[in-house]
Amino acid sequence: MIGNDIDKKSIKTLAQLTDKCETVVTTCHVKPDGDAIGSSLALFHILSALGKTVHIITPDSPPRSLRFLPGCKDIIAVSAQEDFCRSLIEKADLIFCLDFNTLSRIDRAEPLINEAKAPKVLIDHHLDPDSFADVTISRPAESSTCALLFKVICALGLRPIIDKKTATCLMAGIMTDTGNLSYNANDPDLYVIVSDLLRLGVNKVYLWERLNTKSRNQLRLNAFAIDKRMESLLGGRASLITLSDDDLNAYDYIKGDTEGLVNIPLSIPDVAVSVFMHQEPGFIKVSMRSKGEFPVNKICADHFGGGGHLNAAGGEFKGSMNEAVETLRRVLPDYAGHLPLLEK
Ligand code: 5GP
Ligand code: MN
């Protein structure tokens, strides 16, 4: 049965903590994506249905593309209301940490959560979680925190209170982290979960449309990036896209406009590694994707101040774009042994 394989001791402690708590805070990683927001909102709906007071706190605001999700307007961002968030975190008697493995991933929320007295529960699917939480449910093999959260909800015996709103939020996270069930999507149980969510009323077609809307500027920027700023590395096995401040400004860039761009070069059969770098204030944001066993999380951890999953990772490079590109060119050949064999 779905959820049966979650560690029983963790579920027992989690059930006790949930039973006795009254005020809950959820938090998730910086630049929250559909999985971070979806899991936060799903938990908000479940715990609210149990009569708890729940505050959803994020390091910064969710992107516009996610604001249609039920409950999203109740999210409070530390970047906008730091003092208010601090007081809510101080008063909470249980804190859920969702979709991140280390407190540095929650950016400006880190000191607030660090100081909090309440017990913490980590539910996440990133590798190598830090041991800051009282209960850690970490499953790197899961496609998404939302799929894992569904299993946890089932293990707690709370499946009957999942309603359409909760199901929609969970499905949004699953779709985001699997590219609409394209990658990280080989687990047969995932389709049992999806089937259950559809029965609960999720409109997958509508969700797909809402999660994949793009503005004209965004489309043009992405087309420009592929046409003018994409280059080949490692003899065509790797692809690099870079966007400078000037490039971004020319298309009135707003945060989130390049979401998904890094995946596109992987549609070229020979390309097994895709790197996208863009200028952020004070650093170069690096995103990497790969096929097979090519460990982009290791490259990001070793050279780009970050980490992530085997096939999807990122980091923040403190330096100029030229330095970031030079670093990549220098280190990439060290990992060439991990490239999957070319298909005939
Ligand atoms: P994205 O490329 O979509 O920004 O991030 C993909 C994955 O890489 C994320 O789910 C996260 O696991 C990881 N990641 C992205 N940026 C960072 C970062 O700055 N630090 C760390 N540790 N991981 C990151
Ligand atoms: Mn995730």
Side-chain angles (χ1 to χ4, degrees):
M1 213 190 72
I2 295 289
N4 267 357
D5 52 347
I6 311 270
D7 174 55
K8 301 276 180 300
K9 196 160 152 258
S10 302
I11 292 297
K12 193 169 166 217
T13 317
L14 176 56
Q16 287 163 348
L17 288 170
T18 311
D19 247 5
K20 65 175 192 222
C21 76
E22 285 174 9
T23 307
V24 179
V25 158
T26 72
T27 192
C28 63
H29 64 76
V30 68
K31 270 189 48 198
D33 58 5
D35 194 31
I37 295 298
S39 53
S40 301
L41 293 175
L43 199 57
F44 163 80
H45 292 304
I46 287 283
L47 295 175
S48 301
L50 291 174
K52 316 290 177 186
T53 302
V54 187
H55 304 289
I56 315 154
I57 292 181
T58 54
D60 47 1
S61 304
R64 275 180 313 173
S65 59
L66 295 176
R67 296 201 186 141
F68 74 96
L69 286 174
C72 207
K73 65 172 185 0
D74 292 308
I75 290 177
I76 313 157
V78 178
S79 55
Q81 301 184 70
E82 182 159 351
D83 290 340
F84 185 43
C85 289
R86 182 177 290 107
S87 75
L88 292 174
I89 290 170
E90 274 168 9
K91 282 186 220 138
D93 42 30
L94 187 57
I95 296 175
F96 282 90
C97 299
L98 301 166
D99 202 33
F100 65 88
N101 56 351
T102 166
L103 285 172
S104 62
R105 288 284 290 144
I106 59 173
D107 201 52
R108 58 190 111 207
E110 179 175 1
L112 280 56
I113 296 292
N114 243 335
E115 286 157 25
K117 308 253 174 329
K120 300 179 190 80
V121 178
L122 174 72
I123 303 178
D124 177 49
H125 69 134
H126 294 89
L127 286 171
D128 306 326
D130 283 352
S131 53
F132 63 88
D134 300 82
V135 178
T136 298
I137 301 178
S138 162
R139 297 259 296 237
E142 295 292 341
S143 63
S144 51
T145 296
C146 278
L148 176 58
L149 181 59
F150 181 93
K151 294 182 179 182
V152 171
I153 292 169
C154 291
L156 288 168
L158 298 175
R159 163 65 187 81
I161 63 167
I162 299 185
D163 60 4
K164 183 178 171 181
K165 280 189 294 190
T166 313
T168 298
C169 297
L170 291 171
M171 186 71 176
I174 291 173
M175 289 171 70
T176 301
D177 271 22
T178 61
N180 309 302
L181 302 174
S182 304
Y183 41 79
N184 288 336
N186 274 340
D187 174 13
D189 278 353
L190 183 61
Y191 296 87
V192 178
I193 296 173
V194 166
S195 166
D196 210 6
L197 296 177
L198 292 173
R199 275 183 223 291
L200 283 159
V202 166
N203 185 339
K204 179 176 180 286
V205 175
Y206 166 79
L207 256 184
W208 183 84
E209 282 170 8
R210 292 302 304 248
L211 292 170
N212 294 287
T213 54
K214 287 191 171 46
S215 68
R216 277 172 208 281
N217 269 340
Q218 196 175 352
L219 278 183
R220 289 196 178 110
L221 174 61
N222 285 279
F224 165 81
I226 292 167
D227 188 26
K228 305 287 186 214
R229 295 288 184 262
M230 184 170 77
E231 57 186 299
S232 281
L233 302 175
L234 288 183
R237 302 303 312 278
S239 163
L240 168 65
I241 296 176
T242 52
L243 289 174
S244 67
D245 244 349
D246 285 348
D247 293 337
L248 297 170
N249 290 338
Y251 293 89
D252 293 330
Y253 170 80
I254 47 175
K255 217 174 68 177
D257 276 357
T258 51
E259 199 65 54
L261 174 61
V262 66
N263 295 303
I264 294 176
L266 288 184
S267 51
I268 304 168
D270 290 0
V271 173
V273 192
S274 169
V275 181
F276 168 53
M277 298 179 179
H278 74 275
Q279 184 72 53
E280 290 266 352
F283 62 91
I284 305 296
K285 180 69 208 172
V286 179
S287 263
M288 297 195 192
R289 298 290 184 273
S290 67
K291 295 175 185 163
E293 298 302 312
F294 195 93
V296 283
N297 51 350
K298 193 153 164 38
I299 304 185
C300 287
D302 291 349
H303 303 284
F304 293 97
H309 313 271
L310 183 74
N311 297 128
E316 294 178 3
F317 182 87
K318 305 281 186 293
S320 68
M321 182 64 88
N322 280 343
E323 288 164 341
V325 172
E326 260 175 43
T327 303
L328 182 73
R329 285 184 186 283
R330 179 167 44 80
V331 305
L332 208 49
D334 297 344
Y335 301 85
H338 299 284
L339 283 168
L341 294 177
L342 281 173
E343 284 191 27
K344 299 236 164 62

